[in-house]
Amino acid sequence: MTNNESYKLDLIDIVNSVLKNWKILLVLTGFSLAIGFMIIYSTEESYSSKCVLISESGEGSSDLGGLGGLASLAGIDLSKGANIGSINPALYSSIAGSTPFLKAVAHQKYYFEIVGDTLSIYEYYINETDINEKVVSDTTFSYLPDIQRMSNAELATIAYLRERIFVNMDWKLGIVEIEVVMPDPLVSAQIANFTSIYITDYVKNYSQEKGRIQLAFVDEQIRERKIEFDRIQRVLNQFKDGNLNINSSRYRAKEQELSSEYNLIYDVYNELLKQKESLRIQLNKEIPVFSILEPVSIPNRPIKPNKKLILLLSVFTGICIGIVVVLFKVKIS
């Protein structure tokens, strides 16, 4: 008998053994299927709501023109905040993971369809868990006014939300994708909508704040240059008035030196005034504009648990275990 014939006979014996013990196979498959149903009904359903935004902003370039060279000669660095509209892509996901944002989400009121009432995530989470309020929320210290102590329930709620709110940014396409996964489909959609509004407002304010800082910097430089300009103008006028009838080379050299300094400060001062007006226009032009590519919608089907996949895996696992048990039984007998 060849090896191929022996292999075929062994395979036929295995199949026959499995078919003869079909009851064991059926029982184990049914048991595995029952476990699958238990997993399905014990797993909390989760609904996903998505929102896609298109972010459009200016190139963020600050054209200083001839001001950069003049300012450097006068000892001024205008490179600070040169890019008003430049926003790091990581900012979007950082906002979604920040404690102030998650705290705002936690205390915002939503209508819970599964409860039939309007609650905050914080209130809902406390009712669904056994967390005790060991620390009073929003406790502040008189000697540390900017620091707050949050309750255990607040910290737990924030941790709960941090695992359910996702914001991704495709910087090349300028697309912001927001996804919220919650057990209530209506709440999921409401939080996604709240997140889109919060993020767009935050980014706009952030961009304006950068522009306001640069504008304040230019204003400060204008005040300083104005003081210098008034000083050199006064010195030059006093020098000319005190030397009306003098026409020596020494006088002309000093007058030329003062005039050169006067012209330099005057040019820088005028360019700063122009730059201030340019920044005002640029500040309004480079505020990010968000357009809704995919609006928020209420999901109809849960994404978890995946019932079909769980049942298929349960049947497959039951059959595999059944075959192993049958073969083990045949080997022993």
Side-chain angles (χ1 to χ4, degrees):
M1 183 180 292
T2 63
N3 291 333
N4 288 336
E5 291 176 346
S6 176
Y7 175 77
K8 289 179 180 179
L9 289 175
D10 291 341
L11 186 59
I12 292 173
D13 290 339
I14 291 173
V15 173
N16 289 332
S17 299
V18 170
L19 292 177
K20 287 179 181 179
N21 295 274
W22 61 270
K23 290 183 179 180
I24 296 176
L25 197 66
L26 184 62
V27 169
L28 291 175
T29 302
F31 180 74
S32 179
L33 197 58
I35 294 176
F37 277 110
M38 290 176 60
I39 293 173
I40 290 174
Y41 288 106
S42 62
T43 303
E44 184 183 53
E45 289 187 339
S46 296
Y47 295 84
S48 173
S49 292
K50 293 184 179 181
C51 176
V52 180
L53 307 174
I54 298 178
S55 172
E56 299 177 2
S57 61
E59 296 180 357
S61 61
S62 180
D63 186 10
L64 299 177
L67 178 59
L70 289 171
S72 62
L73 290 174
I76 307 169
D77 181 14
L78 290 179
S79 61
K80 297 179 180 179
N83 294 330
I84 293 178
S86 178
I87 299 174
N88 193 315
L91 175 65
Y92 293 89
S93 57
S94 298
I95 295 171
S98 66
T99 299
F101 164 71
L102 294 173
K103 191 174 180 180
V105 174
H107 289 284
Q108 178 71 17
K109 297 287 186 178
Y110 311 99
Y111 180 77
F112 283 78
E113 196 172 26
I114 58 178
V115 178
D117 194 8
T118 301
L119 300 169
S120 67
I121 300 293
Y122 176 72
E123 294 168 337
Y124 173 79
Y125 192 76
I126 290 179
N127 294 334
E128 293 294 318
T129 58
D130 297 327
I131 297 177
N132 296 321
E133 286 282 344
K134 294 183 179 179
V135 180
V136 179
S137 176
D138 292 334
T139 301
T140 57
F141 304 92
S142 58
Y143 50 89
L144 294 173
D146 296 330
I147 298 178
Q148 293 183 346
R149 175 185 288 172
M150 292 188 292
S151 65
N152 293 338
E154 269 189 320
L155 292 173
T157 306
I158 288 173
Y160 171 80
L161 289 172
R162 188 171 278 123
E163 296 177 353
R164 292 179 173 270
I165 300 176
F166 311 95
V167 177
N168 297 311
M169 174 69 181
D170 188 332
W171 192 243
K172 292 182 179 179
L173 299 177
I175 293 177
V176 182
E177 182 176 320
I178 299 169
E179 182 181 9
V180 178
V181 179
M182 295 295 291
D184 189 310
L186 187 57
V187 173
S188 175
Q190 292 174 86
I191 294 179
N193 186 61
F194 177 85
T195 303
S196 66
I197 295 173
Y198 186 100
I199 287 179
T200 52
D201 289 344
Y202 186 96
V203 171
K204 288 177 181 178
N205 291 332
Y206 174 79
S207 299
Q208 287 182 321
E209 183 63 23
K210 291 177 66 179
R212 283 192 290 265
I213 291 174
Q214 186 178 1
L215 197 59
F217 174 75
V218 173
D219 278 334
E220 181 183 354
Q221 295 300 320
I222 288 175
R223 285 192 296 270
E224 292 179 1
R225 299 293 82 75
K226 183 66 168 62
I227 294 173
E228 290 187 14
F229 176 73
D230 292 340
R231 179 192 62 79
I232 191 62
Q233 187 179 42
R234 185 170 57 254
V235 171
L236 181 59
N237 290 336
Q238 289 176 353
F239 179 79
K240 288 182 178 180
D241 292 340
N243 299 276
L244 292 175
N245 299 321
I246 300 176
N247 191 21
S248 64
S249 58
R250 185 177 178 182
Y251 164 79
R252 288 194 299 272
K254 182 63 175 178
E255 182 183 19
Q256 185 176 4
E257 179 185 346
L258 292 174
S259 297
S260 297
E261 185 178 356
Y262 171 85
N263 291 332
L264 175 61
I265 296 176
Y266 176 79
D267 290 340
V268 171
Y269 178 70
N270 279 338
E271 287 293 338
L272 281 169
L273 291 176
K274 294 178 183 178
Q275 180 67 11
K276 181 179 179 180
E277 294 303 316
S278 176
L279 281 173
R280 285 178 176 174
I281 297 173
Q282 189 179 3
L283 179 61
N284 294 325
K285 184 178 68 175
E286 294 191 347
I287 296 175
V289 178
F290 291 90
S291 302
I292 299 176
L293 181 63
E294 184 68 35
V296 177
S297 60
I298 301 174
N300 295 323
R301 296 180 180 178
I303 60 170
K304 293 180 182 179
N306 191 331
K307 297 179 182 179
K308 291 182 179 179
L309 180 61
I310 292 174
L311 293 177
L312 286 174
L313 289 176
S314 299
V315 172
F316 178 76
T317 303
I319 292 174
C320 291
I321 294 175
I323 292 174
V324 171
V325 170
V326 169
L327 294 178
F328 184 73
K329 178 184 176 183
V330 170
K331 185 177 180 181
I332 292 177
S333 61

